[in-house]
Amino acid sequence: MKDSARYAKIVAWSDEDGCYVGSCPGLLLGGCHGADEREVFAQLSVIVEEAIDLYHADGKPLPPATTGRDLANR
């Protein structure tokens, strides 16, 4: 399994921003946004891979995984 599969990637419509917003809680702050939901997810997936590459390059351990856990009911 790729490291990126261990992190929940969320794309949701934002009425406030008037666009889709992508985020990956637990791994990175911020994210990406755009008018097309699939494009935002694709962009977010690249950002997550790049963030993980930076952790590896810096020799830092990755944050705890966010998939496989019931985050919605916490």
Side-chain angles (χ1 to χ4, degrees):
M1 172 177 18
K2 292 175 69 174
D3 284 335
S4 61
R6 299 173 190 262
Y7 297 94
K9 297 168 201 72
I10 301 168
V11 176
W13 178 259
S14 169
D15 285 331
E16 181 179 334
D17 297 318
C19 63
Y20 289 98
V21 177
S23 62
C24 186
L27 180 66
L28 52 92
L29 298 174
C32 56
H33 64 280
D36 183 271
E37 186 176 11
R38 289 179 189 223
E39 287 180 19
V40 171
F41 185 82
Q43 185 180 18
L44 178 61
S45 296
V46 170
I47 292 168
V48 167
E49 291 288 343
E50 290 173 349
I52 289 170
D53 288 345
L54 289 173
Y55 273 93
H56 290 311
D58 291 343
K60 294 181 179 177
L62 291 172
T66 57
T67 58
R69 297 175 21 206
D70 189 4
L71 297 176
N73 293 310
R74 286 188 133 186

